[in-house]
Coordinates of all heavy atoms in Angstrom, one line a residue:
M251 N 93.7 -71.7 -16.3 CA 92.4 -72.2 -15.9 C 92.4 -72.2 -14.3 O 93.4 -72.7 -13.6 CB 92.1 -73.6 -16.4 CG 90.8 -74.0 -16.1 SD 90.4 -75.5 -17.0 CE 88.7 -75.7 -16.6
V252 N 91.4 -71.7 -13.6 CA 91.3 -71.6 -12.2 C 90.2 -72.4 -11.7 O 89.0 -72.4 -12.3 CB 91.2 -70.2 -11.7 CG1 91.0 -70.1 -10.2 CG2 92.3 -69.3 -12.1
L253 N 90.4 -73.4 -10.8 CA 89.4 -74.1 -10.1 C 89.2 -73.7 -8.6 O 90.2 -73.5 -8.0 CB 89.7 -75.7 -10.2 CG 89.7 -76.3 -11.6 CD1 90.0 -77.8 -11.4 CD2 88.4 -75.9 -12.4
A254 N 88.0 -73.6 -8.2 CA 87.8 -73.3 -6.7 C 86.5 -74.1 -6.3 O 85.7 -74.5 -7.1 CB 87.5 -71.8 -6.6
C255 N 86.6 -74.3 -5.0 CA 85.4 -75.0 -4.3 C 84.2 -74.2 -4.1 O 84.3 -72.9 -4.1 CB 85.8 -75.5 -2.9 SG 86.7 -77.0 -3.0
P256 N 83.1 -74.6 -4.1 CA 82.7 -76.1 -4.4 C 82.5 -76.3 -5.8 O 82.0 -75.5 -6.5 CB 81.5 -76.3 -3.5 CG 80.9 -75.0 -3.5 CD 81.9 -73.9 -3.6
I257 N 82.9 -77.6 -6.2 CA 82.7 -78.0 -7.6 C 81.5 -79.1 -7.4 O 81.7 -80.1 -6.7 CB 83.9 -78.6 -8.2 CG1 84.9 -77.5 -8.4 CG2 83.4 -79.1 -9.6 CD1 86.2 -78.1 -8.9
A258 N 80.4 -78.8 -8.1 CA 79.3 -79.9 -8.2 C 79.6 -80.8 -9.3 O 80.1 -80.4 -10.4 CB 78.0 -79.1 -8.1
P259 N 79.0 -82.1 -9.3 CA 79.2 -82.9 -10.3 C 78.7 -82.3 -11.7 O 79.2 -82.5 -12.7 CB 78.3 -84.2 -10.0 CG 78.4 -84.1 -8.5 CD 78.4 -82.7 -8.2
Q260 N 77.6 -81.6 -11.6 CA 77.0 -81.0 -12.8 C 77.9 -79.9 -13.4 O 77.7 -79.4 -14.6 CB 75.5 -80.5 -12.6 CG 75.4 -79.4 -11.6 CD 75.1 -79.9 -10.3 OE1 75.4 -81.1 -9.9 NE2 74.6 -79.1 -9.3
D261 N 78.9 -79.4 -12.6 CA 79.8 -78.4 -13.1 C 80.9 -78.9 -14.0 O 81.5 -78.2 -14.8 CB 80.4 -77.6 -12.0 CG 79.5 -76.9 -11.1 OD1 78.4 -76.4 -11.6 OD2 79.8 -76.7 -9.9
I262 N 81.1 -80.1 -14.0 CA 82.3 -80.9 -14.6 C 82.2 -80.7 -16.2 O 83.2 -80.3 -16.7 CB 82.4 -82.3 -14.2 CG1 82.9 -82.3 -12.7 CG2 83.6 -83.0 -15.0 CD1 83.0 -83.7 -12.0
P263 N 81.1 -81.0 -16.8 CA 81.0 -80.8 -18.3 C 81.4 -79.3 -18.7 O 82.2 -79.1 -19.7 CB 79.6 -81.2 -18.7 CG 79.2 -82.2 -17.6 CD 79.8 -81.5 -16.3
A264 N 81.0 -78.3 -18.0 CA 81.3 -77.0 -18.3 C 82.8 -76.7 -18.1 O 83.4 -76.0 -19.1 CB 80.5 -76.0 -17.5
L265 N 83.3 -77.2 -17.1 CA 84.9 -77.1 -16.9 C 85.6 -77.7 -18.1 O 86.5 -77.2 -18.5 CB 85.2 -77.7 -15.6 CG 84.8 -77.0 -14.4 CD1 85.0 -77.9 -13.1 CD2 85.4 -75.7 -14.2
C266 N 85.1 -78.9 -18.5 CA 85.9 -79.5 -19.6 C 85.6 -78.8 -20.9 O 86.7 -78.7 -21.6 CB 85.3 -81.0 -19.8 SG 85.8 -82.1 -18.4
R267 N 84.5 -78.2 -21.1 CA 84.3 -77.3 -22.3 C 85.2 -76.1 -22.3 O 85.8 -75.7 -23.3 CB 82.8 -77.0 -22.4 CG 82.0 -78.0 -22.9 CD 80.5 -77.4 -23.3 NE 79.9 -76.8 -22.2 CZ 79.1 -77.5 -21.4 NH1 78.9 -78.7 -21.4 NH2 78.5 -76.8 -20.4
R268 N 85.3 -75.6 -21.1 CA 86.2 -74.4 -20.9 C 87.6 -74.7 -21.2 O 88.4 -74.0 -21.9 CB 86.1 -73.8 -19.5 CG 86.8 -72.5 -19.4 CD 86.5 -71.7 -18.2 NE 86.6 -72.5 -17.0 CZ 86.8 -72.2 -15.8 NH1 86.9 -70.9 -15.5 NH2 86.9 -73.0 -14.8
A269 N 88.0 -75.9 -20.6 CA 89.4 -76.3 -20.9 C 89.7 -76.6 -22.3 O 90.8 -76.3 -23.0 CB 89.7 -77.6 -20.0
R270 N 88.7 -77.2 -23.1 CA 88.8 -77.5 -24.5 C 88.9 -76.3 -25.3 O 89.8 -76.1 -26.1 CB 87.7 -78.3 -24.9 CG 87.8 -78.7 -26.4 CD 86.6 -79.6 -27.0 NE 86.3 -80.6 -26.0 CZ 85.1 -80.7 -25.4 NH1 84.2 -79.7 -25.4 NH2 84.8 -81.7 -24.6
T271 N 88.1 -75.2 -25.0 CA 88.1 -74.0 -25.6 C 89.4 -73.2 -25.4 O 90.1 -72.7 -26.4 CB 87.0 -73.1 -25.1 OG1 85.8 -73.8 -25.4 CG2 87.1 -71.7 -25.8
L272 N 89.9 -73.2 -24.2 CA 91.3 -72.7 -23.9 C 92.4 -73.3 -24.7 O 93.2 -72.7 -25.2 CB 91.6 -72.7 -22.5 CG 90.8 -71.8 -21.5 CD1 91.0 -72.2 -20.1 CD2 91.1 -70.4 -21.8
A273 N 92.4 -74.6 -24.8 CA 93.4 -75.4 -25.5 C 93.3 -75.1 -27.0 O 94.3 -75.0 -27.6 CB 93.4 -76.9 -25.1
E274 N 92.1 -75.1 -27.5 CA 91.9 -75.0 -29.0 C 92.2 -73.6 -29.5 O 92.7 -73.5 -30.6 CB 90.4 -75.4 -29.4 CG 90.2 -76.9 -29.2 CD 88.7 -77.2 -29.5 OE1 87.9 -76.3 -29.4 OE2 88.5 -78.4 -29.8
R275 N 92.0 -72.7 -28.6 CA 92.3 -71.2 -28.9 C 93.8 -70.8 -28.8 O 94.1 -69.7 -29.1 CB 91.4 -70.3 -28.2 CG 90.0 -70.4 -28.7 CD 89.2 -69.4 -28.0 NE 87.7 -69.5 -28.4 CZ 86.8 -68.8 -27.8 NH1 87.0 -68.0 -26.9 NH2 85.5 -69.1 -28.3
S276 N 94.5 -71.8 -28.4 CA 96.0 -71.4 -28.1 C 96.9 -72.5 -28.7 O 96.4 -73.6 -28.9 CB 96.2 -71.4 -26.6 OG 97.6 -71.2 -26.4
D277 N 98.1 -72.2 -28.9 CA 99.0 -73.2 -29.5 C 100.0 -73.7 -28.3 O 101.0 -74.3 -28.6 CB 99.8 -72.7 -30.6 CG 100.7 -71.4 -30.2 OD1 100.5 -70.9 -29.2 OD2 101.4 -71.0 -31.1
V278 N 99.6 -73.4 -27.0 CA 100.5 -73.7 -25.9 C 100.4 -75.3 -25.7 O 99.3 -75.9 -26.0 CB 100.1 -73.1 -24.6 CG1 100.3 -71.6 -24.7 CG2 98.7 -73.3 -24.2
E279 N 101.4 -75.9 -25.3 CA 101.5 -77.4 -25.0 C 101.0 -77.6 -23.7 O 100.6 -78.8 -23.4 CB 102.9 -77.8 -25.4 CG 103.3 -77.8 -26.8 CD 102.4 -78.7 -27.6 OE1 102.0 -79.8 -27.2 OE2 102.0 -78.2 -28.8
L280 N 101.1 -76.7 -22.7 CA 100.9 -77.0 -21.3 C 99.7 -76.1 -20.9 O 99.9 -74.8 -20.9 CB 102.2 -76.6 -20.4 CG 102.1 -76.9 -19.1 CD1 101.9 -78.4 -18.7 CD2 103.3 -76.3 -18.3
V281 N 98.7 -76.7 -20.3 CA 97.6 -75.9 -19.7 C 97.7 -76.0 -18.3 O 97.9 -77.0 -17.5 CB 96.2 -76.7 -20.1 CG1 95.1 -75.8 -19.4 CG2 96.0 -76.6 -21.5
V282 N 97.9 -74.8 -17.7 CA 98.1 -74.7 -16.1 C 96.8 -74.6 -15.4 O 95.9 -73.7 -15.8 CB 99.0 -73.5 -15.8 CG1 99.2 -73.3 -14.3 CG2 100.3 -73.6 -16.5
C283 N 96.5 -75.4 -14.5 CA 95.2 -75.4 -13.7 C 95.6 -75.0 -12.3 O 96.2 -75.8 -11.6 CB 94.7 -76.8 -13.8 SG 93.0 -76.9 -13.3
D284 N 95.2 -73.8 -12.0 CA 95.5 -73.3 -10.6 C 94.3 -73.7 -9.7 O 93.2 -73.4 -9.9 CB 95.5 -71.8 -10.5 CG 95.9 -71.2 -9.3 OD1 95.6 -71.7 -8.2 OD2 96.5 -70.1 -9.3
V285 N 94.7 -74.6 -8.7 CA 93.7 -75.1 -7.8 C 93.8 -74.7 -6.4 O 93.4 -75.2 -5.5 CB 93.8 -76.7 -7.9 CG1 93.5 -77.3 -9.1 CG2 95.3 -77.2 -7.4
G286 N 94.5 -73.5 -6.2 CA 94.6 -72.9 -5.0 C 93.3 -72.6 -4.2 O 93.3 -72.4 -3.1
G287 N 92.3 -72.5 -5.0 CA 90.9 -72.1 -4.5 C 90.3 -73.4 -3.9 O 89.2 -73.3 -3.4
L288 N 90.8 -74.6 -4.2 CA 90.2 -75.9 -3.7 C 90.7 -76.1 -2.4 O 91.6 -77.0 -2.1 CB 90.6 -77.0 -4.6 CG 90.1 -77.0 -6.0 CD1 90.7 -78.2 -6.8 CD2 88.6 -77.0 -6.0
V289 N 90.2 -75.3 -1.3 CA 90.7 -75.4 0.0 C 90.2 -76.6 0.9 O 90.9 -77.0 1.8 CB 90.3 -74.0 0.9 CG1 91.2 -72.9 0.2 CG2 88.9 -73.7 0.8
E290 N 89.1 -77.1 0.4 CA 88.5 -78.2 1.0 C 88.2 -79.2 -0.2 O 87.0 -79.6 -0.5 CB 87.2 -78.0 1.8 CG 87.6 -77.2 3.0 CD 86.3 -76.9 3.9 OE1 85.3 -77.6 3.8 OE2 86.3 -75.9 4.6
P291 N 89.2 -79.9 -0.8 CA 88.9 -80.6 -1.9 C 88.3 -82.0 -1.6 O 88.3 -82.4 -0.4 CB 90.4 -81.0 -2.5 CG 91.3 -80.7 -1.4 CD 90.7 -79.7 -0.4
D292 N 87.4 -82.4 -2.5 CA 86.8 -83.8 -2.3 C 86.9 -84.5 -3.5 O 87.6 -84.2 -4.5 CB 85.2 -83.5 -2.0 CG 84.6 -82.5 -2.9 OD1 85.1 -82.4 -4.0 OD2 83.5 -82.1 -2.7
V293 N 86.1 -85.6 -3.6 CA 86.1 -86.6 -4.7 C 85.7 -85.9 -6.1 O 86.3 -86.1 -7.1 CB 85.3 -87.8 -4.4 CG1 85.2 -88.7 -5.6 CG2 86.0 -88.6 -3.4
V294 N 84.7 -85.1 -6.0 CA 84.2 -84.3 -7.1 C 85.3 -83.4 -7.7 O 85.5 -83.4 -9.0 CB 83.0 -83.5 -6.8 CG1 82.4 -82.8 -8.0 CG2 81.8 -84.4 -6.3
A295 N 86.1 -82.8 -6.9 CA 87.2 -81.9 -7.4 C 88.3 -82.7 -8.0 O 88.7 -82.5 -9.1 CB 87.8 -81.2 -6.2
V296 N 88.5 -84.0 -7.6 CA 89.4 -84.8 -8.2 C 89.0 -85.3 -9.4 O 89.7 -85.3 -10.5 CB 89.8 -86.0 -7.2 CG1 90.7 -87.0 -7.9 CG2 90.6 -85.5 -6.0
E297 N 87.6 -85.6 -9.6 CA 87.0 -86.1 -10.8 C 87.1 -85.0 -11.9 O 87.5 -85.2 -13.0 CB 85.6 -86.5 -10.5 CG 85.0 -87.0 -11.9 CD 83.5 -87.4 -11.7 OE1 82.9 -87.4 -10.6 OE2 82.9 -87.7 -12.8
A298 N 86.9 -83.8 -11.4 CA 87.0 -82.7 -12.3 C 88.3 -82.5 -12.9 O 88.5 -82.3 -14.0 CB 86.5 -81.4 -11.5
L299 N 89.3 -82.6 -11.9 CA 90.6 -82.5 -12.5 C 91.0 -83.6 -13.5 O 91.7 -83.3 -14.5 CB 91.7 -82.5 -11.3 CG 91.9 -81.2 -10.6 CD1 92.6 -81.5 -9.2 CD2 92.5 -80.2 -11.4
A300 N 90.6 -84.8 -13.1 CA 90.9 -85.9 -14.0 C 90.2 -85.8 -15.4 O 90.8 -86.1 -16.4 CB 90.4 -87.3 -13.3
R301 N 89.0 -85.3 -15.4 CA 88.2 -85.2 -16.7 C 88.9 -84.0 -17.5 O 88.9 -84.0 -18.7 CB 86.7 -85.0 -16.4 CG 86.3 -86.2 -15.7 CD 84.9 -86.8 -16.1 NE 84.1 -86.2 -17.1 CZ 82.8 -85.8 -17.0 NH1 82.3 -86.1 -15.8 NH2 82.2 -85.4 -17.9
V302 N 89.3 -82.9 -16.8 CA 89.9 -81.8 -17.5 C 91.1 -82.3 -18.1 O 91.5 -82.0 -19.3 CB 90.1 -80.6 -16.5 CG1 91.2 -79.7 -17.2 CG2 88.8 -79.9 -16.3
Q303 N 91.9 -83.1 -17.3 CA 93.2 -83.6 -17.8 C 93.0 -84.5 -19.1 O 93.6 -84.3 -20.1 CB 94.0 -84.3 -16.7 CG 95.3 -84.7 -17.1 CD 95.5 -86.1 -17.6 OE1 94.6 -86.9 -17.7 NE2 96.7 -86.5 -18.0
L304 N 92.0 -85.3 -19.1 CA 91.6 -86.2 -20.2 C 91.2 -85.4 -21.5 O 91.7 -85.7 -22.6 CB 90.5 -87.1 -19.8 CG 90.9 -88.3 -19.1 CD1 89.6 -89.1 -18.6 CD2 91.7 -89.3 -19.8
T305 N 90.5 -84.4 -21.2 CA 90.0 -83.5 -22.3 C 91.2 -82.8 -23.0 O 91.3 -82.8 -24.3 CB 89.1 -82.4 -21.7 OG1 87.9 -82.9 -21.2 CG2 88.6 -81.4 -22.8
V306 N 92.1 -82.2 -22.2 CA 93.2 -81.6 -22.7 C 94.2 -82.5 -23.4 O 94.8 -82.2 -24.5 CB 94.0 -80.8 -21.6 CG1 95.3 -80.2 -22.0 CG2 93.1 -79.7 -21.1
R307 N 94.4 -83.8 -22.8 CA 95.2 -84.7 -23.5 C 94.8 -85.2 -24.8 O 95.6 -85.6 -25.7 CB 95.5 -86.0 -22.6 CG 96.4 -85.6 -21.4 CD 96.9 -86.8 -20.6 NE 97.4 -87.8 -21.6 CZ 98.4 -88.5 -21.2 NH1 98.8 -88.5 -20.0 NH2 98.9 -89.3 -22.0
R308 N 93.4 -85.2 -24.9 CA 92.8 -85.6 -26.2 C 93.2 -84.6 -27.3 O 93.2 -85.0 -28.6 CB 91.4 -85.8 -26.2 CG 90.9 -87.0 -25.3 CD 89.4 -87.1 -25.2 NE 89.1 -88.4 -24.5 CZ 88.1 -88.5 -23.5 NH1 87.4 -87.4 -23.4 NH2 88.0 -89.6 -23.0
L309 N 93.6 -83.4 -27.0 CA 94.0 -82.4 -27.9 C 95.5 -82.4 -28.1 O 96.1 -81.4 -28.7 CB 93.5 -81.0 -27.5 CG 92.0 -80.9 -27.4 CD1 91.5 -79.6 -26.7 CD2 91.4 -80.9 -28.8
G310 N 96.2 -83.3 -27.3 CA 97.6 -83.4 -27.6 C 98.4 -82.4 -26.6 O 99.5 -82.2 -26.8
R311 N 97.7 -81.9 -25.6 CA 98.3 -81.0 -24.7 C 98.5 -81.7 -23.3 O 97.9 -82.8 -23.0 CB 97.3 -79.8 -24.5 CG 96.9 -79.0 -25.8 CD 98.0 -78.4 -26.5 NE 97.9 -77.6 -27.7 CZ 96.7 -77.3 -28.2 NH1 95.5 -77.5 -27.8 NH2 96.8 -76.6 -29.4
R312 N 99.2 -81.0 -22.4 CA 99.4 -81.5 -21.1 C 98.8 -80.6 -20.1 O 98.6 -79.4 -20.4 CB 100.9 -81.7 -20.7 CG 101.6 -82.8 -21.6 CD 103.2 -82.7 -21.3 NE 103.8 -81.5 -21.8 CZ 104.4 -80.8 -20.8 NH1 104.8 -81.3 -19.7 NH2 105.1 -79.6 -21.2
V313 N 98.5 -81.1 -18.9 CA 98.1 -80.3 -17.8 C 99.0 -80.3 -16.7 O 99.5 -81.3 -16.2 CB 96.6 -80.9 -17.3 CG1 96.2 -80.2 -15.9 CG2 95.6 -80.7 -18.2
M314 N 99.3 -79.1 -16.0 CA 100.0 -79.1 -14.8 C 99.1 -78.3 -13.8 O 98.4 -77.3 -13.9 CB 101.3 -78.0 -15.0 CG 102.0 -77.9 -13.8 SD 103.6 -76.8 -14.0 CE 102.7 -75.2 -13.9
V315 N 99.1 -79.0 -12.6 CA 98.4 -78.6 -11.5 C 99.2 -77.7 -10.7 O 100.3 -78.0 -10.3 CB 97.8 -79.7 -10.7 CG1 97.0 -79.1 -9.5 CG2 96.9 -80.6 -11.5
R316 N 98.7 -76.4 -10.3 CA 99.5 -75.5 -9.5 C 98.8 -75.1 -8.3 O 97.6 -75.0 -8.2 CB 99.7 -74.2 -10.5 CG 100.6 -73.3 -9.8 CD 101.0 -72.1 -10.8 NE 99.8 -71.3 -11.0 CZ 99.9 -70.2 -11.7 NH1 101.0 -69.8 -12.3 NH2 98.8 -69.5 -11.9
N317 N 99.5 -74.9 -7.2 CA 99.1 -74.3 -5.9 C 98.1 -75.3 -5.2 O 97.2 -75.0 -4.7 CB 98.2 -73.1 -6.1 CG 99.2 -71.9 -6.6 OD1 100.4 -71.9 -6.2 ND2 98.7 -71.0 -7.4
S318 N 98.4 -76.6 -5.4 CA 97.5 -77.7 -4.7 C 97.8 -77.7 -3.2 O 99.1 -77.7 -2.8 CB 97.6 -79.0 -5.4 OG 98.9 -79.4 -5.4
C319 N 96.9 -77.9 -2.3 CA 97.0 -78.0 -0.9 C 97.5 -79.4 -0.7 O 97.3 -80.3 -1.5 CB 95.8 -77.6 -0.1 SG 94.4 -78.6 -0.4
G320 N 97.9 -79.7 0.6 CA 98.3 -81.1 0.9 C 97.2 -82.1 0.9 O 97.4 -83.2 0.4
E321 N 96.0 -81.6 1.2 CA 94.8 -82.5 1.2 C 94.5 -83.0 -0.2 O 94.2 -84.1 -0.4 CB 93.7 -81.9 1.8 CG 92.5 -82.8 2.0 CD 91.3 -82.1 2.7 OE1 91.5 -80.9 3.2 OE2 90.1 -82.6 2.8
L322 N 94.6 -82.0 -1.3 CA 94.3 -82.5 -2.6 C 95.4 -83.4 -3.0 O 95.1 -84.4 -3.7 CB 94.3 -81.2 -3.5 CG 94.1 -81.5 -4.9 CD1 92.7 -82.3 -5.1 CD2 94.1 -80.2 -5.7
Q323 N 96.7 -83.2 -2.8 CA 97.8 -84.0 -3.1 C 97.5 -85.5 -2.6 O 97.8 -86.5 -3.3 CB 99.1 -83.5 -2.7 CG 99.5 -82.2 -3.4 CD 100.7 -81.6 -2.8 OE1 101.5 -82.1 -2.0 NE2 101.0 -80.3 -3.3
E324 N 97.1 -85.5 -1.2 CA 96.9 -86.8 -0.6 C 95.6 -87.5 -1.3 O 95.7 -88.8 -1.5 CB 96.6 -86.6 0.9 CG 97.7 -86.3 1.7 CD 97.4 -85.9 3.1 OE1 96.2 -86.2 3.4 OE2 98.3 -85.5 3.7
L325 N 94.6 -86.8 -1.7 CA 93.5 -87.3 -2.3 C 93.9 -87.9 -3.8 O 93.5 -89.1 -4.1 CB 92.3 -86.4 -2.6 CG 91.3 -86.3 -1.4 CD1 90.5 -85.0 -1.8 CD2 90.5 -87.5 -1.4
L326 N 94.7 -87.2 -4.4 CA 95.1 -87.5 -5.7 C 96.0 -88.8 -5.6 O 95.8 -89.8 -6.5 CB 96.0 -86.5 -6.4 CG 95.1 -85.2 -7.0 CD1 96.1 -84.1 -7.3 CD2 94.3 -85.7 -8.0
A327 N 96.8 -88.9 -4.6 CA 97.6 -90.1 -4.5 C 96.8 -91.2 -4.1 O 97.0 -92.4 -4.5 CB 98.8 -89.8 -3.3
F328 N 95.9 -91.0 -3.2 CA 95.0 -92.2 -2.6 C 94.2 -92.7 -3.9 O 94.0 -93.9 -3.9 CB 94.1 -91.6 -1.6 CG 93.1 -92.6 -1.1 CD1 93.5 -93.6 -0.2 CD2 91.8 -92.6 -1.5 CE1 92.6 -94.6 0.3 CE2 90.9 -93.5 -0.9 CZ 91.3 -94.6 -0.1
M329 N 93.8 -91.9 -4.8 CA 93.0 -92.3 -5.9 C 93.8 -92.8 -7.1 O 93.3 -93.0 -8.2 CB 92.0 -91.1 -6.3 CG 91.0 -90.9 -5.2 SD 89.9 -89.5 -5.5 CE 88.7 -90.3 -6.6
G330 N 95.2 -92.8 -7.0 CA 96.0 -93.4 -8.0 C 96.2 -92.3 -9.1 O 96.7 -92.7 -10.2
L331 N 96.1 -91.0 -8.8 CA 96.2 -90.0 -9.8 C 97.4 -89.2 -9.6 O 97.7 -88.0 -10.3 CB 94.9 -89.2 -9.9 CG 93.8 -89.9 -10.4 CD1 92.4 -89.1 -10.3 CD2 93.9 -90.5 -11.9
G332 N 98.2 -89.4 -8.4 CA 99.2 -88.5 -8.0 C 100.3 -88.3 -9.1 O 100.8 -87.3 -9.2
D333 N 100.6 -89.4 -9.8 CA 101.6 -89.2 -10.9 C 101.0 -88.7 -12.3 O 101.8 -88.2 -13.1 CB 102.2 -90.6 -11.3 CG 103.1 -91.2 -10.0 OD1 103.6 -90.4 -9.4 OD2 103.2 -92.4 -10.0
I334 N 99.8 -88.7 -12.4 CA 99.2 -88.3 -13.6 C 98.8 -86.8 -13.6 O 99.0 -86.0 -14.4 CB 97.8 -89.1 -13.9 CG1 98.2 -90.4 -14.2 CG2 97.1 -88.4 -15.1 CD1 97.0 -91.4 -14.2
L335 N 98.4 -86.3 -12.4 CA 98.0 -84.9 -12.2 C 99.1 -84.3 -11.2 O 98.9 -84.4 -10.0 CB 96.6 -84.8 -11.6 CG 95.6 -85.1 -12.6 CD1 94.3 -85.3 -11.8 CD2 95.5 -84.0 -13.7
R336 N 100.1 -83.8 -11.6 CA 101.2 -83.2 -10.8 C 101.0 -81.8 -10.6 O 100.7 -81.0 -11.6 CB 102.6 -83.5 -11.4 CG 102.9 -85.0 -11.5 CD 104.2 -85.2 -12.2 NE 104.4 -86.5 -12.3 CZ 105.3 -87.2 -11.8 NH1 106.3 -86.7 -11.0 NH2 105.5 -88.5 -12.0

């Protein structure tokens, strides 16, 4: 799954549906979320990642965040999600 900026709040439900569909159609345990396109991450991007992660975990799967920039890592840590969304 690939995420890129900008993400609007109204985009989040569709992202979660896409993550659910990807997880349900596959037997993989790990869903990789490439966030290299989040060059100017904000709170909405962090919320999107958190909600995608919750969606996937409800299906018994895990999420791995790949290609995150330093700013996104700092935002995740600041919001207490650094250990949850690696």
Side-chain angles (χ1 to χ4, degrees):
M251 181 169 190
V252 177
L253 295 181
C255 279
I257 298 174
Q260 61 268 23
D261 297 333
I262 295 173
L265 290 171
C266 291
R267 281 192 301 274
R268 186 169 52 155
R270 182 181 313 111
T271 299
L272 289 170
E274 288 176 339
R275 291 184 180 173
S276 172
D277 60 352
V278 298
E279 293 297 318
L280 182 66
V281 175
V282 177
C283 193
D284 188 329
V285 295
L288 295 176
V289 292
E290 294 182 20
D292 57 11
V293 172
V294 177
V296 172
E297 180 183 355
L299 280 171
R301 296 216 7 226
V302 163
Q303 192 263 359
L304 285 172
T305 299
V306 171
R307 283 191 61 148
R308 287 181 180 141
L309 296 170
R311 310 289 183 8
R312 295 177 297 127
V313 170
M314 180 180 78
V315 177
R316 184 172 74 176
N317 296 324
S318 61
C319 65
E321 188 177 350
L322 178 59
Q323 293 172 12
E324 289 173 9
L325 270 172
L326 289 168
F328 178 75
M329 297 176 77
L331 298 171
D333 290 336
I334 297 169
L335 290 165
R336 297 179 186 240

